[in-house]
Amino acid sequence: PRATVDVLVVGSGGAGFAAAVSAFDNGAKVMLIEKEPVIGGNAKLAAGGMNAAMTKQQAAKGIKDSLELMTEDTMKGGRNINDPALVKVLVEDSAGSVDWMTGMGADLSDVGRMGGASVNRTHRPTGGAGVGAHVVQVLYDNAKKRNIDMRMNTRGVEVLKDDSGKVTGMLVKGQYTGYYWVKADAVVLATGGFGKNNERVAKLDPKLKGFRATNHPGATGDGLDVAENAGAAMQDLKYIQAHPTLSTKGGVMVTEAVRGNGAILVNREGKRFVNEITTRDKAAAAILKQTGGTAFLVFDDSVRKSLKKIEKYIGLGVVPSNASAVELGKVMGIDGNNLKATIAHYNDMVAAGKDSDFERPQLPRALNEGNYYAIEVNPGVHHTMGGVKIDNQSEILNQQGQTIPGLYGAGEVTGGVHGANRLGGNAISDIITFGRLAGKNAAEYATK
Ligand code: ADP
């Protein structure tokens, strides 16, 4: 099955598909390979949304945002170690990326907010469909429409180069066909992160040893080894994000929007302990400090009604009870009267419009309608911020800071965009923007 193409894309997550479609639309013959039997990587699991500033969707809702504000939020979330040149691309191209996806059939018209954002800028489908699955489906449909050669069960093993160091293709291994060579003038690495590889994770951050992960099974980081063998420099590998709220039953990731829409976090003493919509690293650290290292997301029927996705958690049986606060406390194994007092006090603060305990900046609703629910949660590995070093053209750099001719990188396999901590909603933005850029530049390079 030897083949010759202009651009070979490695990985079928959002970054890989965006790169493949964009390379095709910029005139290249494209092949995409994926080591797993199914497409979508971690991208298809993303529940939050796509952050973008100054979009038509925001304007239609009267939301005032600015490029400066999105830059500030992203840098602050990343503890200011993000590569400013990459953040500039992420922010300035974000509205264009939403338009690009919308033009290909995506619905990103609902605009909500996730942790660390100053205004509503998380674009997502209306009706509560998962943004990742939607975006991957739209990109896959578009790749199919273009007749792009897509090969599953095919692993990128080694980037091949000529004597001058230029990329000439890749050695790949098909599960059924064995090793073969794909000739290509440009290769885009879009192989994702390594959150599912706890050995690799714990080596870089021993605190995370034994942690569960929200990731798909292929998030093992072999793409990083491929890149390293090809001479790529790495950056920020030790920054690994734990998603603060995985249900302790089944490890289902409970989207940040549950808190965004009004749920509070309560410990085994029945008390709040943190601003629930702080950044992920801070929320995760706060939960781990509580008795037993877990906490409960507590909400009522008004929060339940406000977010379709909650039905999924209820369907999965991770919500232990629907009852009064005191009864719920019993089911949770904590003091129900404390819980009741905590909720009453929280409701007073909602009425006053100010959280004087933890300075939660947004208090969407009181918790006083119908039944109460609780989901026990603790953190799990979610996203690996570090990876291959790229420049603002998505070109992979070597140790000397020089480009490796013909080698591009995009998405979670790269480092620098998110610094030490990624904001919710910035991953989809990252993979679309940099995938699209890598595809375009790879196509121009390969066909010139
Ligand atoms: P992103 O969000 O950056 O697009 P994803 O995790 O969604 O990243 O997608 C990366 C994809 O790349 C996954 O489907 C993963 O299985 C695939 N992949 C990882 N390493 C390889 C490899 N060496 N060869 C082919 N595919 C790979």
Side-chain angles (χ1 to χ4, degrees), residues 10-16 33-36 38-44 154-157 190-193 216 218-219 222-223 226 410-413 431:
V10 190
S12 72
I33 59 170
E34 164 60 53
K35 67 173 178 172
E36 298 290 314
V38 291
I39 61 161
N42 275 346
K44 70 175 174 292
T154 303
R155 178 190 299 271
V157 178
T191 50
H216 85 118
D222 44 316
V226 170
E412 198 177 351
V413 72
I431 62 184

Side-chain angles (χ1 to χ4, degrees), residues 9-18 32-46 136 151 153-158 170-173 189-194 215-224 226 383 410-414 427-428 430-432:
V9 177
V10 190
S12 72
F17 272 125
L32 177 142
I33 59 170
E34 164 60 53
K35 67 173 178 172
E36 298 290 314
V38 291
I39 61 161
N42 275 346
K44 70 175 174 292
L45 306 175
V136 166
R151 303 186 181 184
N153 294 307
T154 303
R155 178 190 299 271
V157 178
E158 193 186 341
M170 195 166 205
L171 178 68
V172 309
K173 188 180 185 216
L189 293 179
T191 50
F194 56 94
N215 291 188
H216 85 118
T220 55
D222 44 316
L224 288 174
V226 170
H383 188 94
E412 198 177 351
V413 72
T414 68
I428 296 290
D430 172 6
I431 62 184
I432 301 304

